[in-house]
Amino acid sequence: MHRLFAVLVTLTLAVMASAASAQADPLPSWNDSAAKARIVALVQAVTEPGGKDYVPPADRIAVFDNDGTLWAEQPVYFQLAFAIDRAKALVAKNPDLAKRPALKAAAEGDIKALAATGEKGLAQLLAVTHANMTSDEFALIVRDWTRTARHPTLKRPYTQLTYAPMRELLDYLRASGFKTYIVSGGGVEFLRVIAEELYGVPPEQVVGSTIKTKYEVRNGTPVIVRLPEIDFVDDKAGKPVGIHKFIGKRPIAAFGNSDGDFEMLEWTTSAPGARLGVLVHHDDAEREFAYGRTSHIGRLARGLDEAPKRGWTVVSIKKDWKSVYSAR
Amino acid sequence: MHRLFAVLVTLTLAVMASAASAQADPLPSWNDSAAKARIVALVQAVTEPGGKDYVPPADRIAVFDNDGTLWAEQPVYFQLAFAIDRAKALVAKNPDLAKRPALKAAAEGDIKALAATGEKGLAQLLAVTHANMTSDEFALIVRDWTRTARHPTLKRPYTQLTYAPMRELLDYLRASGFKTYIVSGGGVEFLRVIAEELYGVPPEQVVGSTIKTKYEVRNGTPVIVRLPEIDFVDDKAGKPVGIHKFIGKRPIAAFGNSDGDFEMLEWTTSAPGARLGVLVHHDDAEREFAYGRTSHIGRLARGLDEAPKRGWTVVSIKKDWKSVYSAR
């Protein structure tokens, strides 16, 4: 029996290997550019058995920023769009809420007035739209929003604004034995609702900003309650801290698009061995948005300046991507 | 080619299934007790394809307390023993440190005097033994300690004081498609150094208490620095909070040994579907330690009282375990 088993396994593996070698381009939405070649070269280097840069699957950790890297982030971060839509719905039900300037501005969709309310205003908005409810309740509200909301200028569900080339890249890395994580400045409980469906990333592989929560038994039913208090901000120097706290391993590949991802790329690429740091540059006003050095959202200046000397790859959406959005 | 492939896969799977059905008892260190039967029944229920309690592998999350559940915790938590050993070494090098009462007590191994220094004293001990160094430096110190330290009464390395029946259980669950997590009141960076070697649990599947850290670039080299400030206490009601924060999924099986695990078991077992809550009861003074209702460390009172009505399984070390410690 054992012998038969061994023969069958050997034959099966041989057939599988032959099928793999004949496989199609894993990144069909990418033009055959230097950026694509560097990504493929890293994957081949760390997966080649016996190669000098070989990394065992358990340590093949890849981290992805979300806003502006896996899906769009203009004219405002989509989680802010969610908060605004939510404020509108809540103010419609309870007009008294509009007595608070931040809620009034949000309900009117007046981003400028909302920004003028400062940190205190944003905390008010967060408390009303993101907290003082159970985690299950919040997840339902987010789920419902992703099904009904539409992007203000592109007039499509936000869930159709993920980037096809990046989704292929996630699939390609996973097929190459990588564990793919999202490491976002956005809220972890917001992202976990959608990350699996959009990106194939399960909840336990989403790292993000957190608000404090508490455990409570309500009428015999345990719940997790979301409190109106920031716990951790997963941005800039917070990204390596978040990676270290949640994953506890140093990634070998990091993908971002703004200076908020700088430290994540720095942390990832400054360890020994083959490493990959990639910045997506939004330079395609025609098919997407063009912004960077001076924009409020997704500012990318230091990253562009230092990418060459740090060996980071800058992806031009205009030149390197055949298509932009995923058609779903 | 495809056809040959399909035939080979089918044959291979058939041989594998036949091999599996003939496999030996996956829990040989357990006596054939009701406790063992309930564990096996849960695993069979959630893994039976088409069964009413079937759970897809992605949702087969099992959480384990560490101290007193996976390894011993007497006469003091092993991480406290580490802090004491570390204080001894540091005071020997720098006698001035003994001017601080907590450091003096720890260096003298005087647990009673150490406890008398209260929260302030423990914070001092934590700051000196656990913080103000990089995460890499801390990991090296912990690694070195696990190789050299000996348990004060059992005179063996702490790493030999893991429980064989629980390690079998971890293996059994993983072989049944479960993802096994440690959810400990202990420090996450302490545990991650040893969890893989001791339990086969990788760093990203260790949830625990955390201290604050910061990211810093020192002479061009990025480091994570451990700060002398508590970030999160993963105990009691903190355990479901930690599970929700780090994993983002509700477990279907939880294993603990003290009232510090009560909320974790409650959170796990009060959701619909097949669920398992297990408490290890330390009732074997001969082979291990006997404690519970009144002990300072590992107190188990409410858990014993409520286990029957909550359907939780109480494991008697004396009656249910054939052997106790892993021989490594």
Side-chain angles (χ1 to χ4, degrees):
Chain A
M1 202 65 147
H2 279 176
R3 204 155 171 192
L4 170 61
F5 179 62
V7 169
L8 289 172
V9 166
T10 308
L11 279 170
T12 304
L13 290 176
V15 174
M16 287 169 82
S18 134
S21 71
Q23 83 191 354
D25 178 3
L27 299 173
S29 299
W30 292 70
N31 289 315
D32 287 324
S33 63
K36 177 176 177 174
R38 288 177 76 173
I39 293 168
V40 171
L42 183 278
V43 172
Q44 289 178 342
V46 301
T47 55
E48 192 197 331
K52 74 172 176 46
D53 290 317
Y54 178 79
V55 175
D59 294 325
R60 288 182 206 156
I61 305 288
V63 288
F64 288 79
D65 168 59
N66 183 45
D67 296 306
T69 300
L70 294 180
W71 72 359
E73 61 179 351
Q74 298 291 355
V76 296
Y77 297 126
F78 293 177
Q79 193 173 355
L80 180 55
F82 160 76
I84 288 168
D85 288 348
R86 186 77 190 140
K88 280 179 191 163
L90 291 170
V91 167
K93 264 195 258 178
N94 176 9
D96 269 7
L97 278 175
K99 286 177 185 161
R100 300 181 215 174
L103 271 294
K104 182 170 185 291
E108 290 169 356
D110 187 341
I111 304 288
K112 218 169 146 186
L114 177 61
T117 64
E119 272 193 33
K120 203 184 148 194
L122 283 174
Q124 276 181 357
L125 182 65
L126 188 79
V128 171
T129 59
H130 281 71
N132 298 312
M133 63 185 97
T134 70
S135 287
D136 284 347
E137 287 162 355
F138 181 69
L140 279 179
I141 292 166
V142 174
R143 166 77 56 203
D144 185 54
W145 178 80
T146 62
R147 287 185 181 140
T148 55
R150 293 289 178 277
H151 188 278
T153 59
L154 301 170
K155 311 290 178 197
R156 296 162 66 179
Y158 291 95
T159 50
Q160 289 183 10
L161 299 175
T162 61
Y163 301 130
M166 297 306 286
R167 289 197 12 218
E168 286 171 7
L169 186 47
L170 285 163
D171 288 341
Y172 172 49
L173 289 172
R174 287 191 292 255
S176 306
F178 278 76
K179 212 162 170 177
T180 53
Y181 282 84
I182 292 172
V183 177
S184 170
V188 75
E189 292 193 62
F190 179 84
L191 278 168
R192 280 177 177 163
V193 174
I194 48 178
E196 186 133 33
E197 189 183 326
L198 293 187
Y199 310 122
V201 174
E204 66 269 31
Q205 283 162 230
V206 177
V207 177
S209 296
T210 50
I211 61 176
K212 289 199 191 281
T213 65
K214 71 171 170 182
Y215 177 77
E216 220 178 81
V217 180
R218 290 185 174 172
N219 303 320
T221 302
V223 290
I224 305 279
V225 182
R226 289 170 58 80
L227 305 175
E229 196 185 336
I230 298 289
D231 174 50
F232 172 65
V233 178
D234 190 55
D235 195 28
K236 299 192 176 75
K239 289 208 172 189
V241 167
I243 289 167
H244 186 70
K245 173 152 97 171
F246 284 81
I247 311 175
K249 284 178 181 170
R250 199 148 166 182
I252 60 171
F255 303 83
N257 77 298
S258 81
D259 285 347
D261 304 313
F262 191 94
E263 287 84 354
M264 176 169 84
L265 265 71
E266 182 177 59
W267 176 240
T268 300
T269 60
S270 56
R275 289 289 189 280
L276 180 68
V278 173
L279 288 168
V280 174
H281 186 204
H282 294 267
D283 57 359
D284 192 336
E286 202 177 311
R287 294 188 301 173
E288 204 238 357
F289 301 96
Y291 59 97
R293 287 198 175 272
T294 57
S295 69
H296 279 288
I297 285 182
R299 181 192 173 97
L300 179 66
R302 192 180 170 203
L304 286 178
D305 290 339
E306 299 197 18
K309 76 170 186 207
R310 289 176 180 267
W312 297 347
T313 301
V314 176
V315 168
S316 158
I317 292 187
K318 196 169 182 172
K319 293 182 205 149
D320 295 335
W321 286 2
K322 258 183 215 153
S323 63
V324 176
Y325 297 120
S326 308
R328 267 210 181 181
Chain B
M1 201 68 150
H2 280 173
R3 203 153 173 196
L4 170 62
F5 180 64
V7 169
L8 289 172
V9 167
T10 308
L11 280 170
T12 305
L13 290 175
V15 174
M16 287 170 82
S18 134
S21 70
Q23 85 191 353
D25 178 2
L27 300 172
S29 299
W30 292 70
N31 288 315
D32 289 323
S33 63
K36 177 177 177 174
R38 288 178 75 173
I39 293 168
V40 172
L42 182 279
V43 171
Q44 290 178 341
V46 302
T47 55
E48 192 197 332
K52 75 172 173 48
D53 290 318
Y54 178 79
V55 174
D59 294 324
R60 289 181 206 156
I61 305 288
V63 287
F64 289 79
D65 169 60
N66 183 46
D67 296 306
T69 298
L70 295 180
W71 72 358
E73 60 180 351
Q74 298 291 353
V76 296
Y77 297 125
F78 293 178
Q79 192 173 355
L80 180 55
F82 160 76
I84 289 168
D85 288 349
R86 185 76 191 141
K88 280 179 190 161
L90 290 170
V91 167
K93 265 196 257 177
N94 175 10
D96 269 7
L97 277 176
K99 285 176 186 163
R100 301 181 215 174
L103 272 292
K104 182 172 186 290
E108 290 169 356
D110 187 341
I111 304 287
K112 219 170 145 184
L114 177 60
T117 64
E119 272 192 33
K120 203 184 146 193
L122 283 174
Q124 276 181 358
L125 182 64
L126 187 78
V128 172
T129 60
H130 281 72
N132 298 314
M133 63 186 97
T134 69
S135 287
D136 284 347
E137 287 163 355
F138 181 69
L140 279 178
I141 292 167
V142 173
R143 166 77 57 203
D144 184 56
W145 178 82
T146 61
R147 287 185 180 140
T148 56
R150 293 289 178 278
H151 187 277
T153 60
L154 301 169
K155 311 288 178 198
R156 297 163 66 180
Y158 290 95
T159 49
Q160 289 182 11
L161 299 174
T162 61
Y163 301 130
M166 296 306 285
R167 286 195 15 215
E168 287 172 7
L169 186 47
L170 285 163
D171 288 340
Y172 172 49
L173 288 173
R174 286 191 291 255
S176 306
F178 279 75
K179 211 161 172 179
T180 53
Y181 282 83
I182 292 173
V183 177
S184 170
V188 75
E189 292 194 61
F190 179 84
L191 278 167
R192 281 178 176 162
V193 174
I194 48 179
E196 185 132 32
E197 188 183 326
L198 292 186
Y199 310 122
V201 174
E204 66 268 33
Q205 282 160 232
V206 177
V207 177
S209 296
T210 49
I211 62 176
K212 290 198 191 281
T213 65
K214 71 170 170 183
Y215 177 77
E216 217 177 84
V217 180
R218 290 184 175 172
N219 302 321
T221 302
V223 291
I224 304 279
V225 183
R226 289 170 57 81
L227 305 176
E229 196 185 336
I230 297 290
D231 174 50
F232 172 66
V233 178
D234 190 55
D235 195 28
K236 300 191 175 74
K239 289 208 173 190
V241 167
I243 289 167
H244 186 70
K245 174 153 97 170
F246 283 81
I247 311 176
K249 283 177 181 171
R250 199 149 166 182
I252 61 173
F255 303 84
N257 77 299
S258 81
D259 286 347
D261 304 313
F262 192 93
E263 287 84 355
M264 176 169 82
L265 266 71
E266 181 177 60
W267 175 240
T268 300
T269 60
S270 56
R275 290 288 189 279
L276 180 68
V278 173
L279 287 168
V280 175
H281 187 203
H282 295 265
D283 57 359
D284 191 335
E286 202 177 309
R287 294 188 301 172
E288 203 239 357
F289 301 95
Y291 60 97
R293 288 196 174 273
T294 58
S295 68
H296 280 288
I297 284 182
R299 181 192 172 98
L300 179 65
R302 191 179 170 202
L304 287 177
D305 291 340
E306 299 197 17
K309 77 171 183 204
R310 289 177 181 266
W312 297 346
T313 300
V314 176
V315 168
S316 159
I317 291 186
K318 195 170 183 172
K319 293 181 204 149
D320 294 335
W321 287 1
K322 259 183 213 152
S323 63
V324 176
Y325 297 121
S326 308
R328 269 212 179 177

